[in-house]
């Protein structure tokens, strides 16, 4: 009796380990390598980074705790400005992707007979190397690039070439381009959920196309816009390549400063502080957006790319 | 009686707080066609899966030919299963599907080919070896699944609602096919269904399950004519359930007052040992009620509806506000009965089943 | 405010035909914006001139020849390929296991239910790349493997694991579990059942997952930039260095190769995993 009970209990707990589906706190064994990878490598990276933000040199065993690096951040206006500038560029990029992306999303969702093919066409550039993509924009925006060739040499609209490179605009364009799919896909998803007989109804009631869009369609895609905007904002705020290659020395963003601290500057502590504060801003943003509207980020998580 | 091939004792399976199978015991005889019958979610599949080894019992024992089966790993059990979804291997041909069990048993290729042909013959699909199973019709997939499960000559074949994804006509044909194959091979079949017609028409014996518990085990005739509970009477076939009380007992029979109908049935068989004054339920099948327009009968009622079924006619009769379902065989009587007509009903007390309330 | 704005919109009305044309034109414009930069790189890779000029004076393959003869590029291509292939296999294998675990875990209501696991496994791509980049740099230093091939592999597997895991899990979620059970029932051990039935059934997802991992690893720039030592160069990091140095037309050639290669691989993967084209 007693032995039987014990074996049953053992069987029960083994159930969750082996084929069973009821997971309480022992995960399926097959998850373990992946979990170790995420928890150990990602967790380890973030933990050591956080440690560096308030310990002088933990790598060589100096675990003295100091908040001097944080104090340095808050005492220097430069870094605050960079942080804010980065967020402003991210905001402009987000608005840019929304304005450029929404019409295409609308077209694909509502009109297209080849929806899946077009979706693939929109998503495919995500997989193209981002260095090459940024390089392409250099070819276009340069003083002797494509745009100036068209405006000055071909059409003769301008006498002198435009200075497009090494401006904030160039950075924003260089970010809107790779991030468009992240805005378009969630919007398409939300458009596809709309019952279009509602729009017919609104039109029957005398609304013009624009009115019907503004009163019926647009409000129902807010969740898609919010999801897309969150993705684009987060990804663009942490941009590294576009500011360096298209923005020049005057348009560095937060990621460039963080990177700088870990290469030539060799001030790991301060770099870690920047990284921690930047992460905190992003987390707060995520939480805030999550509180305001329940985001459906699922739709877009499976199309991530580089950035 | 011979030794049972399978004997299940106090079998229980719980998932967290839900008890899927609750203390179920039964025995299956060698060569028998044994069915689990019950409504959706009553634990039929779970019981079957525990026999197959796809699920570990929470408690209780399963013995096959007197040996503990729970100790045998699932891939070594001498039982085969036909899944509800057929579960054919889409990456293998029909022949490879059917021969899979033999391959696992390391049967040489030549012999395998011969046996596959033989079993495809058995299920009436000769020459289908090289076909892609995903391009077969539902009925053909079903046959392949059957051949695949039978080729290893298991002592017991488990079938989980194998006909439920087929259309009605095919389903009826496959019933005969399954019986034919079972007769031919003399294998023990344990068959899961929620369709009482299927269970009644194919089984040697049926176990009726309700909410994880065993309700009754018996032959189809026993289940139909001697239901052991209100649930059993109601689930199998159509019946009238009348509430009442025992007025008198007399040896193995009882006289029962029916509350709603204000009449009494004399000498009803009393297998449950009800005593005077006990509240009981009486189950009377529609075909065990005689109807006549003449003034003889126990109760009088008005015909509410008349439904013609071809070989029989069913009446819904209103007796003092209580509805009684009556079946009239053949064409006789049916023609002359109409709505709102007054009729006399006579209950066959020999065939009424006395049940605990 | 809203009603008045809406009323303003009410004054603008166009015929269905005009609206349709307008929408098509805008959609076409946006698609052009997406693909024009890519096309320009491809176009310029065939110019015979050193500095880009329009109209192009002719066609030539000289920059492709220059690419093949430049050992810095070919070395980087070999190094990137090695890394990406290793990453595809390790990430594919770990992701295969994790995908199984994920698909077989209760959807919700547990300490580590499927929903939470999905978020956990997505973290490496949700967290900004600069953070994982410098985090990894510090961590690999702590572990004493900074700059090694191993550290790059460990890091690349981390950033590709979300893809391999989720692609394989979604392949498995459409799978009838009883097929594997049928194999077990017919006498296959668990491993044999995987080999005979389950793995072949989700092979398209596995291939897609590995292709995604390969391309992501091959193209990764930000993290790799911080994780690389001075001795090795991946192709994207090398290209970045060249771009900063000076304009080199060979870059158009290598860019074209990368674009075509990436698109072919990932469109194949998207098709195999049936994520889009169903
Ligand atoms: N893996 C599981 N986890 C939790 N609960 C389960 C699991 N499998 C079955 N159950 C529960 O156990 C009960 C019995 O399920 P089972 O599948 O055996 O019923 P069934 O009689 O086969 O029903 P149906 O006719 O619908 O197939 C149900 O309440 C079901 O929800
Ligand atoms: Mg079932």
């Amino acid at each position: 009796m007693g032995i039987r009970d014990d074996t049953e209990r053992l069987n029960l707990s083994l159930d969750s380990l082996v084929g069973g589906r009821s997971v309480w706190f022992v995960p399926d064994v097959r998850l373990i390598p992946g979990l170790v990878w995420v928890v150990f490598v990602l967790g380890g990276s973030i933990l050591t980074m956080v440690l560096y933000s308030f310990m002088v040199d933990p790598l060589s065993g100096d675990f003295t705790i100091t908040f001097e690096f944080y104090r340095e951040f808050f005492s220097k206006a430069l870094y605050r400005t960079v942080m804010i500038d980065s967020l402003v560029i991210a905001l402009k990029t987000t608005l840019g992707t929304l304005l450029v992306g929404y019409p295409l999303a609308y077209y694909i969702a509502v009109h297209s007979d080849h929806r899946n093919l077009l979706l693939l066409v929109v998503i495919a550039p995500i997989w193209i190397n981002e260095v090459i993509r940024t390089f392409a924009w250099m070819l276009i925006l340069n003083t002797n690039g494509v745009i100036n060739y068209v405006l000055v040499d071909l059409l003769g609209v301008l006498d002198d070439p435009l200075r497009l490179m090494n401006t904030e605009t160039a950075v924003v364009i260089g970010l809107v381009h790779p991030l468009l799919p992240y805005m378009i896909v969630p919007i398409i998803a939300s458009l596809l959920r709309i019952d279009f007989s509602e729009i017919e109804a609104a039109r029957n009631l005398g609304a013009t196309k624009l009115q019907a869009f503004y009163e019926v369609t647009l409000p129902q895609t807010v969740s898609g816009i919010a999801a897309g905007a969150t993705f684009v904002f987060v990804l663009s705020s942490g941009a590294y390549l576009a500011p360096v290659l298209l923005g020049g020395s005057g348009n560095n963003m937060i990621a460039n400063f963080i990177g700088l601290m870990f290469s030539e500057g060799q001030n790991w502590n301060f770099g870690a502080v920047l990284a921690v504060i930047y992460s905190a801003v992003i987390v707060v943003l995520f939480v805030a957006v999550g509180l305001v509207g329940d985001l459906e980020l699922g739709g877009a998580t499976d199309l991530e790319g580089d950035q | 009686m011979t030794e049972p091939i399978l004997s299940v004792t106090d079998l229980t399976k719980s998932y967290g707080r839900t008890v899927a199978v609750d203390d179920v015991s039964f025995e299956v005889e060698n060569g028998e066609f044994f069915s689990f019958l019950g409504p959706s979610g009553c634990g039929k599949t779970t019981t079957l899966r525990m026999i197959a080894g796809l699920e570990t019992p929470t408690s209780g024992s399963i013995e096959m030919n007197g040996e503990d089966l729970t100790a045998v790993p699932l891939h070594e059990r001498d039982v085969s299963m036909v899944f509800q979804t057929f579960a054919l291997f889409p990456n293998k041909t029909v022949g490879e599907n059917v021969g899979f069990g033999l391959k696992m048993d390391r049967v040489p290729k030549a012999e395998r080919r011969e046996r596959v042909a033989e079993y495809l013959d058995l299920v009436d699909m000769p020459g289908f070896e090289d076909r892609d199973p995903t391009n077969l019709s539902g009925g053909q997939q079903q046959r392949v699944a059957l051949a695949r499960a039978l080729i290893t000559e298991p002592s017991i074949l488990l079938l989980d609602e194998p006909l439920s994804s087929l259309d009605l006509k095919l389903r009826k044909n496959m019933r005969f096919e399954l019986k034919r194959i079972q007769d031919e091979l003399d294998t023990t079949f344990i068959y899961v269904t929620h369709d009482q017609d299927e269970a009644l028409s194919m089984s040697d014996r049926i176990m009726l399950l309700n909410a994880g518990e065993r309700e009754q085990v018996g032959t189809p005739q026993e289940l139909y004519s001697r239901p052991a509970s209100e649930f059993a009477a109601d689930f199998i076939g159509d019946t009238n359930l009348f509430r009442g009380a025992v007025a008198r007992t007399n040896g193995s029979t009882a006289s029962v007052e029916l509350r709603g109908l204000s009449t009494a049935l004399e000498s009803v068989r009393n297998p449950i040992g009800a005593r005077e004054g006990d509240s009981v339920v009486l189950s009377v099948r529609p075909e065990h009620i005689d109807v006549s327009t003449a003034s003889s009968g126990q109760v009088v009622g008005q015909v509410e509806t008349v439904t013609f079924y071809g070989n029989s006619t069913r009446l819904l009769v209103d007796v003092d506000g209580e509805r009684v379902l009556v079946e009239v065989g053949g064409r006789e009587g049916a023609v002359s009965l109409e709505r709102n007509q007054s009729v006399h009903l006579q209950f066959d007390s020999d065939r009424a089943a006395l049940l605990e309330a | 405010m809203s009603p008045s704005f809406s009323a303003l919109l009410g004054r603008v009305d166009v015929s269905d035909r005009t609206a349709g044309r307008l929408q098509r034109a805008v959609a076409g414009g946006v698609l052009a914006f997406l693909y024009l930069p890519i096309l320009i790189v491809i176009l310029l890779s065939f110019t015979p001139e050193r500095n880009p000029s329009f109209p192009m004076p002719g066609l030539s393959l000289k920059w492709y020849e220059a690419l093949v003869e430049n050992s810095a590029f070919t070395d980087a291509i070999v190094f990137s390929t090695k890394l990406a292939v290793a990453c595809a296999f390790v990430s594919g294998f770990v992701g295969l296991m994790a995908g199984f675990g994920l698909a077989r875990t209760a959807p919700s209501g547990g300490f580590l239910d499927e929903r939470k696991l999905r978020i956990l496994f997505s973290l490496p791509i949700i967290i900004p790349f600069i953070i994982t980049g410098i985090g990894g740099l510090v961590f690999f230093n702590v572990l004493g493997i900074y700059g090694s091939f191993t550290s790059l592999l460990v890091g690349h597997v981390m950033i590709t694991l979300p893809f391999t895991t989720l692609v394989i899990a979604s392949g498995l979620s459409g799978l009838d579990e009883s097929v594997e059970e049928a194999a077990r029932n017919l006498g296959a051990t668990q491993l044999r059942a995987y080999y005979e039935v389950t793995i072949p059934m989700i092979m398209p997802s596995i291939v897609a997952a590995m292709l995604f991992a390969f391309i992501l690893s091959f193209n990764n720039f930000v993290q790799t930039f911080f994780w690389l030592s001075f001795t090795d160069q991946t192709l994207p990091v090398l290209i970045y260095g060249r771009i900063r140095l000076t304009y080199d037309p060979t870059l158009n050639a290598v860019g074209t190769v990368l674009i075509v290669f990436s698109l072919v691989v990932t469109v194949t993967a998207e098709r195999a995993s049936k994520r889009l084209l169903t």
Side-chain angles (χ1 to χ4, degrees):
Chain A
M1 180 74 192
I3 291 171
R4 175 128 213 135
D5 280 353
D6 280 346
T7 44
E8 275 154 20
R9 219 167 294 133
L10 188 69
N11 265 345
L12 257 183
S13 52
L14 280 180
D15 238 19
S16 60
L17 249 179
V18 198
R21 270 185 252 176
S22 54
V23 169
W24 181 228
F25 46 78
V26 186
D28 189 302
V29 278
R30 292 168 292 193
L31 285 165
I32 289 171
L35 281 177
V36 166
W37 223 285
V38 174
V39 172
F40 182 70
V41 183
L42 184 66
S45 300
I46 292 185
L47 187 72
T48 44
M49 186 190 78
V50 172
L51 286 184
Y52 261 98
S53 74
F54 59 82
M55 283 178 183
V56 180
D57 195 0
L59 187 52
S60 35
D62 185 354
F63 294 109
T64 328
I65 292 177
T66 170
F67 291 101
E68 180 203 330
F69 311 117
Y70 281 95
R71 220 172 291 134
E72 190 181 339
F73 174 85
F74 288 105
S75 66
K76 277 191 187 160
L78 170 67
Y79 297 107
R80 258 202 318 277
T81 318
V82 170
M83 188 79 75
I84 290 167
D85 283 352
S86 298
L87 296 180
V88 168
I89 290 179
L91 201 64
K92 286 179 180 171
T93 306
T94 309
L95 282 174
T97 52
L98 178 61
L99 289 178
V100 177
Y102 202 107
L104 184 56
Y106 188 84
Y107 180 79
I108 292 176
V110 180
H111 293 291
S112 179
D113 309 326
H114 316 283
R115 190 179 296 140
N116 282 335
L117 181 65
L118 275 174
L119 206 54
L120 182 68
V121 166
V122 166
I123 291 177
I126 277 190
W127 302 100
I128 292 172
N129 190 297
E130 82 180 290
V131 185
I132 293 299
R133 246 182 342 198
T134 317
F135 174 66
W137 280 105
M138 294 170 74
L139 296 177
I140 294 170
L141 300 173
N142 251 325
T143 319
N144 49 5
V146 178
I147 289 186
N148 280 322
Y149 163 74
V150 171
L151 293 180
V152 180
D153 299 332
L154 205 62
L155 301 176
V157 196
L158 297 176
D159 292 331
D160 296 316
L162 289 173
R163 197 182 80 91
L164 297 165
M165 272 295 281
N166 301 335
T167 61
E168 195 187 280
T169 314
V171 178
V172 172
I173 293 175
L175 286 175
V176 166
H177 182 243
L179 296 178
L180 259 184
Y182 297 87
M183 181 63 91
I184 291 179
V185 171
I187 293 179
I188 290 180
S190 65
L191 278 166
L192 288 178
R193 276 195 298 269
I194 295 180
D195 174 7
F196 276 89
S197 58
E198 287 175 27
I199 289 153
E200 300 275 307
R203 302 260 283 122
N204 274 340
L205 294 172
T208 64
K209 286 184 201 64
L210 281 174
Q211 267 177 321
F213 172 78
Y214 181 72
E215 299 277 354
V216 184
T217 312
L218 191 60
Q220 293 190 67
T221 53
V222 167
S223 70
I225 294 174
T230 311
F231 276 113
V232 173
F233 189 86
V234 170
L235 290 174
S236 56
S237 69
Y240 185 90
L241 263 179
V244 174
L245 295 181
L246 302 171
S249 52
N251 289 295
N252 273 340
M253 287 173 70
I254 187 70
N256 307 119
F257 275 89
I258 296 174
L260 198 67
M261 294 299 151
F262 283 89
S263 50
E264 300 146 45
Q266 289 293 333
N267 190 346
W268 285 18
N269 304 105
F270 194 66
V273 165
L274 289 179
V276 167
I277 290 176
Y278 166 62
S279 307
V281 169
I282 295 301
V283 169
V284 166
L285 185 96
F286 251 109
V287 172
V289 174
L291 285 182
V292 173
D294 53 333
L295 272 192
E296 289 164 58
L297 297 176
T301 35
D302 55 23
L303 70 93
E304 292 292 331
D306 40 14
Q307 225 331 261
Chain B
M1 241 189 191
T2 51
E3 266 287 290
I5 187 166
L6 187 79
S7 91
V8 171
T9 319
D10 302 334
L11 191 65
T12 298
K13 175 74 187 180
S14 33
Y15 296 102
R17 246 168 265 141
T18 37
V19 184
V21 177
D22 194 357
D23 213 17
V24 168
S25 304
F26 60 94
E27 291 184 340
V28 180
E29 303 294 327
N30 202 351
E32 202 175 15
F33 196 118
F34 191 91
S35 294
F36 299 165
L37 174 65
S40 187
C42 68
K44 307 179 294 285
T45 298
T46 309
T47 310
L48 206 67
R49 288 171 61 86
M50 285 191 281
I51 299 170
L54 295 167
E55 219 76 64
T56 319
T58 307
S59 66
S61 75
I62 304 172
E63 285 181 1
M64 193 165 151
N65 293 320
E67 280 173 48
D68 183 11
L69 198 58
T70 42
V72 183
L74 84 109
H75 60 278
E76 284 166 21
R77 293 189 187 193
D78 189 18
V79 296
S80 281
M81 184 148 170
V82 176
F83 292 81
Q84 186 169 356
T85 53
F86 311 145
L88 297 180
F89 310 134
N91 55 317
K92 295 182 186 293
T93 63
V94 167
E96 287 168 339
N97 263 277
V98 175
F100 188 80
L102 298 180
K103 188 174 165 193
M104 294 302 109
D105 289 346
R106 291 166 215 253
V107 174
K109 226 177 189 161
E111 190 189 335
R112 238 193 282 161
R113 199 173 311 129
E114 228 166 84
R115 296 263 299 274
V116 166
E118 183 188 326
Y119 274 83
L120 280 175
D121 250 4
L122 175 77
V123 296
D124 212 12
M125 284 183 70
F128 273 70
E129 278 91 343
D130 295 327
R131 296 279 289 271
D132 175 357
T134 51
N135 293 334
L136 299 180
S137 74
Q140 290 174 323
Q141 292 190 16
Q142 167 72 77
R143 288 161 192 269
V144 174
L146 200 61
R148 183 180 69 176
L150 286 168
I151 201 165
T152 52
E153 297 175 351
S155 300
I156 302 179
L157 183 72
L158 309 171
L159 303 104
D160 189 0
E161 312 216 14
L163 306 185
S164 64
S165 40
L166 306 181
D167 63 52
L168 188 68
K169 186 132 189 246
L170 202 53
R171 212 178 326 172
K172 294 207 164 152
N173 282 337
M174 278 306 288
R175 284 190 202 169
F176 294 110
E177 279 291 273
L178 279 174
K179 275 303 271 187
R180 173 184 68 76
I181 289 167
Q182 200 237 351
D183 282 345
E184 209 162 302
L185 299 175
D186 217 17
T187 306
T188 309
F189 276 33
I190 299 182
Y191 189 93
V192 161
T193 180
H194 62 259
D195 180 340
Q196 44 146 329
D197 281 351
E198 231 170 80
L200 292 175
S201 63
M202 299 165 80
S203 317
D204 295 321
R205 283 193 309 145
I206 297 170
M207 174 166 72
L208 189 62
L209 286 165
N210 179 27
E213 291 182 49
R214 165 189 155 147
E215 206 56 54
Q216 187 175 1
V217 177
T219 63
Q221 292 78 6
E222 278 168 357
L223 256 66
Y224 189 78
S225 52
R226 306 258 174 272
S229 64
E230 205 178 319
F231 175 82
D234 198 30
F235 191 79
I236 294 175
D238 292 316
T239 195
N240 296 289
L241 292 169
F242 301 120
R243 261 142 241 290
V246 175
R248 272 185 321 281
T249 58
N250 180 11
S252 65
T253 64
S255 157
V256 182
E257 294 266 7
L258 300 183
R259 220 170 276 143
L261 301 180
S262 41
T263 184
L265 255 69
E266 303 297 332
S267 48
V268 177
R269 291 181 345 102
N270 181 10
I272 59 169
R275 287 200 235 127
E276 202 175 310
D278 284 357
S279 284
V280 289
V281 173
L282 203 64
S283 159
V284 186
R285 299 278 179 200
E287 66 270 28
H288 298 153
I289 302 173
D290 275 340
V291 60
S292 71
T293 45
S295 61
S296 71
Q298 281 170 300
V299 294
V300 182
Q302 272 73 46
V303 177
E304 250 185 30
T305 60
V306 182
T307 320
F308 181 60
Y309 280 99
N311 53 356
S312 68
T313 302
R314 286 190 163 195
L315 312 174
L316 204 55
V317 180
D318 182 340
V319 181
D320 295 342
E322 220 173 287
R323 293 214 170 93
V324 181
L325 184 65
V326 182
E327 186 174 305
V328 186
R331 295 169 49 98
E332 91 246 16
V335 203
S336 57
L337 290 168
E338 283 166 17
R339 255 182 69 109
N340 290 329
Q341 192 173 350
S342 265
V343 289
H344 294 260
L345 302 181
Q346 177 71 42
F347 301 105
D348 184 348
S349 47
D350 275 352
R351 284 156 146 179
L354 192 65
L355 308 166
E356 277 163 34
Chain C
M1 186 192 158
S2 144
S4 64
F5 183 61
S6 180
L8 202 68
L9 291 178
R11 287 204 220 132
V12 188
D13 203 3
V14 286
S15 74
D16 283 351
R17 222 165 114 204
T18 321
R21 273 191 198 150
L22 214 63
Q23 279 164 355
R24 254 199 307 284
V26 174
V30 177
L31 281 178
F33 171 72
L34 266 178
Y35 280 90
L36 231 44
I38 298 162
L39 291 176
I40 283 169
V41 172
I42 296 176
L43 201 64
L44 284 179
S45 73
F46 295 108
T47 182
E49 293 193 319
R50 194 163 168 83
N51 286 313
S53 73
F54 299 97
M56 284 189 350
L59 291 177
S60 121
L61 289 176
K62 67 197 266 196
W63 304 117
Y64 290 91
E65 281 162 27
L67 171 63
V68 179
E69 281 158 16
N70 188 327
S71 67
F73 278 112
T74 48
D75 285 354
I77 289 174
V78 169
F79 185 79
S80 281
T81 308
K82 272 189 202 157
L83 180 58
V85 168
C87 173
F89 277 97
V90 178
S91 182
F93 183 71
V94 177
L96 178 64
M97 305 247 282
F100 264 107
L102 210 57
R104 304 282 191 260
T105 299
S108 64
F111 173 68
L112 266 183
D113 57 33
E114 193 197 332
R115 213 178 60 82
K116 289 177 194 146
L117 282 171
R118 273 180 186 273
I119 294 175
L120 194 65
F121 273 101
S122 310
L123 279 181
I125 43 169
I126 291 177
I127 293 173
F129 280 17
I130 182 70
I131 303 294
T132 38
I134 59 108
L137 166 81
V138 179
F139 187 57
F140 295 145
N141 269 293
V142 170
L143 294 181
I145 57 170
Y146 171 73
S148 66
F149 186 83
T150 314
S151 77
L152 284 174
L153 182 57
V154 166
H156 277 215
V157 169
M158 176 186 77
I159 46 184
T160 52
L161 198 56
F163 289 89
T164 48
T165 304
L166 297 180
V167 167
I168 288 168
S170 83
L172 276 167
S173 69
L175 198 76
D176 181 4
E177 249 180 277
S178 48
V179 176
E180 189 180 309
E181 291 175 347
R184 300 273 282 129
N185 178 257
L186 291 166
T189 59
Q190 182 68 63
L191 280 180
R192 193 75 195 267
Y194 282 150
Y195 166 77
E196 292 276 353
V197 182
T198 317
I199 301 291
M201 278 172 80
I202 57 161
M203 210 49 187
S205 298
I206 297 175
V207 169
M210 287 176 66
L211 289 178
F212 282 133
F214 177 88
I215 276 301
L216 276 171
S217 165
F218 196 94
N219 279 334
N220 183 273
F221 172 74
V222 175
Q223 282 100 336
T224 312
F225 181 68
F226 290 104
W227 296 342
L228 266 182
S229 68
F230 294 106
T231 45
D232 300 306
Q233 292 269 37
T234 65
L235 188 59
V237 173
L238 176 75
I239 295 172
Y240 173 76
R242 291 295 165 107
I243 292 173
R244 297 207 68 183
L245 220 58
T246 170
Y247 173 76
D248 175 357
T250 320
L251 292 172
N252 292 316
V254 74
T256 303
V257 172
L258 265 181
I259 289 167
V260 173
F261 180 60
S262 301
L263 287 182
V264 167
V265 169
T266 52
V267 169
T268 311
E270 297 275 8
R271 277 173 173 279
S273 69
K274 296 205 184 77
R275 296 201 312 167
L276 293 170
L277 306 171
T278 42

